[in-house]
Structures are given as C-alpha cells and as structure tokens.
C-alpha cells in the first residue's frame, strides 16, 4: 500500500495519530540477502536472530519459518521462542544474567548456552553433578581487546587467562564439553570486524587440536540505510557482502585444511529489523521560540532507539491536498509530546511543513518497540499495510488500564 496523506489520515482516525508500520517482506528480504551473502563464502553459516533488537512475534516467526535460529538473552525471550514454536535446539542463550532453572531446562532439551561468567560455570557444575548420566554441551563467551577505549564487560577475559581457565574448568567435568565459542563486540565498522577476527584466530590458535561445533561472531551488523542517513555516520555503512568477505572469508580460510568446519553463527538484529519499520506522527502545532521554529509532534524520541543520538533518520512529509499551502522552513526542529526538554525527533529540518501534516521516520525497527516505556502516554500500535489495502493490526495500542492494572 502506498503511503499518502489520505491513507495515513484514515488509519489515524481508527488507531490514533502515532503508530508504527512494520514491513515483514522487507525483514524477510534482509534475512535472505544476508544469509546468502555469508553462505556463498562459508556455506556452514546460520543466522540466529537477536530477539532483544525487535521481538515482534511476527518477525521472530518469519525467522523460525525460514529455518533460522533464535538468539535470546532472557527467560522472557525464551518464552516467546517456545510460544511461536522454535525448537530448543535452535535457541542460543546469551547475556550476563541467567537463572539456574532456565539454564537447566534449556540444556535438558538441547539448547545452546554461551556462558558469560564464573557463576554460570558453577551452575553448570551443579547441574552436571546432579545428572551424571547426561551429556552437556556448553559455549563460552570470550572478552577480547580490539583497541576499544572502554573494555567490554561481557565474557571471559582472554588476556588474563580467564577464558582458558573457564574452558579447563568445564572440560574437567566428565559429562560436560565446551563446544561453542561466542565473540560479540558492539561496533559496526568493517575495521572492527577485521580486528575481532584477528582476535578470534589467536584464540583458536590457543586450542589447535580442539573441535568446535560452532563459532558465533554475535551481532552488531549495519543494515541498509539510505544516503540521507549514511552521510551522517562517521564511516561508510558496510554491505552484507563486505561483512561476509571478512567474517565468512576468515572462517573459510582458517578451516580450509580442517576435517571439521564448525557452524558460523551470526546474530543480526538491526541489520534485519531497522529498515523494516516506520514511525508515523502528526504535526500538532508549529511555534517560534526566539529565532527557532519548533514543530510539536504526536510522537516522541522515547519511542525510537534511545541510544542513537544526533542522527536524523530518513524523513518523509505527507501534506493534505486542498488544505492550504504548507510553509517553507529553513531550519526547523521537530519535538516530541513529552515534558522533557531534550525530546527532539528531528533537528534542522529544511522543507515544507504545516499543522496536521504527517511526519514519517524510517529506519526505526531497531531497539524501538522493545525499549520504550509507557512514559506520559500509553504505548502505540504496530500495523502492517498490505498491497490489497488491508491494514493488519500486529499489536494493539496500550490503554491506561493496561499501564496501571498491576498496581495495587
């Protein structure tokens, strides 16, 4: 369905002046394109979609239906994976906070757990001791230095020997074997991936005869962005093929002469979901404060990724025909409905705008629906627009009753 003022106004009349639009076809295309780029270089590659990035069940189910796996970091996400029918053998459980009962439950049914710290190794020891007739496969997360200013707080430090100690500790348990290595650092540039592959090779060289079942390079991959967004970044956004050349190419070359080729696990979130969602808001008013023009919108920056600062997402304005000519602005800021002074969704807009217009921000599928609070107003709906003109309600709007129902 093509977006225009009439379509958006009709939707707003039923669902409210702010809403998300998800495009599951774009999400599926991103998945297929990224997987293809990697498997062309290293065939034994698998995607485990990062639920924490965007856990809309419809998107998670697409991954499951096309043969992908789930990357989770909580029992809440484990519940979702099971609810939509993901096999536990297709679940990779990461993160720094795991409860013993969920570790045990997942292990019993063939799930993959990448432990992050010594307390988890202790949990594994207790489980193995209580069930001596069972065999357990465990992954470990490594903490590597690739020159980042602030060290990562996740995983076992390689430089201090903590990783070697953790592997030794686990492998000394008669019914436990470390079978996976997990390495995730939150940087998106190609150079950062080159450095983490170099760090990975050093770790693999520490265990030359060791047989790994899988090696996970985590997530952090850049998705597709248009020129308006790319020019605001401090680096050129890598393509899926460029990532694959470094990561899958590195795996191919390293294991070229090996009898066993471990599965390469990649855990994209933003790369699949970011450009698969839009955020629609209406212009409530436009005012002048000193020398600044400010448009107040029905949306808020708290409903898009709060960790991304000083980036203007791609924007489209839809103006009602026949309701007067919108005014031309040279440097207008678009503000949210909250009472927070810093709540701005777009800075220094140049172009036409009028009260009542719809503002559509693109590339909002990453860490938006999963991180926003019901701050001042309840949550907004998620919709999908189909070619036939059908509007599918993917998630209903939250009500005040929803927000307060758990308070005494």
């Amino acid at each position: 369905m093509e977006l225009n003022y009439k379509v958006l106004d009709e939707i707003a009349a039923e669902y409210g002046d702010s809403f998300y639009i998800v495009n599951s076809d774009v999400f599926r295309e991103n998945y297929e394109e990224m997987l293809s780029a990697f498997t062309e270089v290293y065939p034994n590659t698998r995607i485990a979609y990062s639920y924490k990035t965007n856990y809309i069940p419809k998107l998670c189910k697409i991954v499951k239906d096309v043969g992908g796996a789930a990357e989770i970091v909580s029992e809440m996400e484990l519940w979702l994976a099971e609810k939509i029918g993901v096999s536990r053998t297709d679940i990779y459980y990461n993160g720094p906070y795991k409860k013993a009962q969920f570790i045990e439950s997942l292990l019993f049914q063939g799930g993959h757990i990448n432990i992050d710290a010594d307390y988890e190794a202790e949990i594994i020891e207790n489980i193995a001791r209580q069930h001596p007739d069972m065999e357990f496969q465990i992954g470990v997360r490594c903490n590597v230095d690739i020159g980042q200013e602030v060290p990562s707080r996740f995983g076992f430090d390689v430089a201090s020997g903590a990783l070697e100690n953790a592997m030794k500790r686990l492998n000394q348990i008669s019914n436990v074997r470390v079978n996976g290595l997990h390495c995730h650092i939150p940087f998106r540039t190609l150079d950062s991936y080159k450095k983490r592959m170099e760090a990975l090779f050093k770790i693999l060289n520490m265990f030359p005869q060791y047989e790994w079942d899988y090696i996970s390079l985590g997530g952090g991959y850049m998705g597709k962005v248009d020129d308006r967004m790319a020019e605001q970044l401090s680096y050129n956004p890598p393509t899926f093929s460029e990532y694959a050349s470094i990561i899958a190419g590195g795996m191919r070359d390293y294991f070229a002469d090996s009898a066993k080729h471990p599965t390469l696990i990649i855990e994209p979130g933003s790369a699949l979901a970011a450009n698969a969602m839009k955020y629609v808001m209406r212009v409530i008013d436009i005012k002048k404060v000193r020398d600044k023009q400010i448009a107040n919108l029905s949306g808020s920056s708290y409903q898009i990724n709060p960790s991304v600062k000083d980036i203007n997402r791609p924007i489209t304005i839809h103006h009602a025909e026949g309701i007067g000519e919108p005014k031309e602005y040279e440097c207008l800021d678009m503000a949210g409905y909250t009472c927070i002074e810093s709540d701005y969704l777009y800075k220094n807009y140049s172009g036409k705008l009028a009260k009542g217009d719809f503002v559509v921000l693109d590339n909002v599928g990453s860490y938006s629906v999963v991180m926003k609070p019901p701050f001042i107003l309840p949550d907004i709906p998620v919709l999908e627009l189909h070619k036939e003109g059908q509007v599918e309600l993917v998630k209903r709007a939250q009500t005040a009753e929803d927000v307060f129902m758990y308070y005494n």
Side-chain angles (χ1 to χ4, degrees), residues 270-315:
S270 299
L272 306 188
N275 71 330
M277 286 188 70
K278 302 179 186 293
Y279 182 30
V280 180
M281 302 157 284
R282 195 189 288 271
V283 178
I284 304 304
D285 189 34
I286 301 175
K287 65 170 69 173
K288 185 176 182 181
V289 180
R290 298 181 188 174
D291 295 327
K292 194 67 181 178
Q293 299 286 349
I294 301 173
N296 290 324
L297 307 184
S298 64
S300 168
S301 63
Y302 289 89
Q303 292 176 317
I304 55 180
N305 188 342
S307 64
V308 177
K309 307 293 184 183
D310 303 321
I311 293 288
N312 284 331
R313 287 171 170 77
I315 190 171

Side-chain angles (χ1 to χ4, degrees), residues 174-244:
S174 60
N175 55 336
V176 172
R177 184 177 78 88
V178 176
N179 73 327
L181 181 64
H182 178 58
C183 180
H184 171 82
I185 304 171
F187 302 108
R188 302 189 188 279
T189 65
L190 284 178
D191 184 61
S192 75
Y193 277 91
K194 290 177 182 176
K195 290 179 179 178
R196 78 185 69 181
M197 290 303 291
E198 292 171 359
L200 173 66
F201 297 150
K202 290 180 180 179
I203 296 172
L204 295 176
N205 289 338
M206 290 164 55
F207 309 96
Q209 306 303 320
Y210 204 84
E211 287 196 355
W212 303 95
D213 291 338
Y214 68 89
I215 293 174
S216 171
L217 263 295
Y221 309 98
M222 174 64 71
K224 298 175 184 176
V225 297
D226 72 4
D227 293 340
R228 291 173 292 178
M229 193 167 178
E231 64 187 15
Q232 300 174 67
L233 303 175
S234 59
Y235 57 92
N236 293 323
T239 65
F240 294 156
S241 294
E242 287 174 328
Y243 282 130

Side-chain angles (χ1 to χ4, degrees), residues 98-100 103 118-128:
K98 305 184 188 79
K99 297 176 183 177
I103 291 178
D118 285 329
Y119 85 93
E120 295 176 57
E122 183 176 343
I123 291 173
I124 299 299
E125 285 177 330
N126 291 334
I127 293 172

Side-chain angles (χ1 to χ4, degrees), residues 260-393:
K260 182 173 182 177
H261 295 76
T263 301
L264 168 62
I265 303 294
I266 54 174
E267 300 170 350
S270 299
L272 306 188
N275 71 330
M277 286 188 70
K278 302 179 186 293
Y279 182 30
V280 180
M281 302 157 284
R282 195 189 288 271
V283 178
I284 304 304
D285 189 34
I286 301 175
K287 65 170 69 173
K288 185 176 182 181
V289 180
R290 298 181 188 174
D291 295 327
K292 194 67 181 178
Q293 299 286 349
I294 301 173
N296 290 324
L297 307 184
S298 64
S300 168
S301 63
Y302 289 89
Q303 292 176 317
I304 55 180
N305 188 342
S307 64
V308 177
K309 307 293 184 183
D310 303 321
I311 293 288
N312 284 331
R313 287 171 170 77
I315 190 171
T316 306
I317 308 298
H318 296 275
H319 179 71
E321 296 181 4
I323 308 184
E325 185 67 21
K327 185 178 178 180
E328 186 79 32
Y329 294 93
E330 291 185 0
C331 188
L332 175 144
D333 291 345
M334 298 184 184
Y337 63 75
T338 75
C339 301
I340 305 300
E341 285 281 9
S342 60
D343 186 6
Y344 284 94
L345 294 115
Y346 198 96
K347 289 288 192 77
N348 302 320
Y349 168 76
S350 297
K352 294 182 177 181
L353 195 70
K355 178 181 176 180
D357 285 357
F358 283 102
V359 175
V360 181
L361 292 186
D362 206 345
N363 213 285
V364 301
S366 173
Y367 295 100
S368 52
V369 296
V370 298
M371 292 188 75
K372 63 192 182 319
F375 177 52
I376 297 182
L377 287 175
D379 198 5
I380 60 176
V382 179
L383 312 172
E384 179 150 24
L385 312 185
H386 297 281
K387 295 179 181 179
E388 304 79 11
Q390 176 192 4
V391 178
E392 177 188 352
L393 180 61

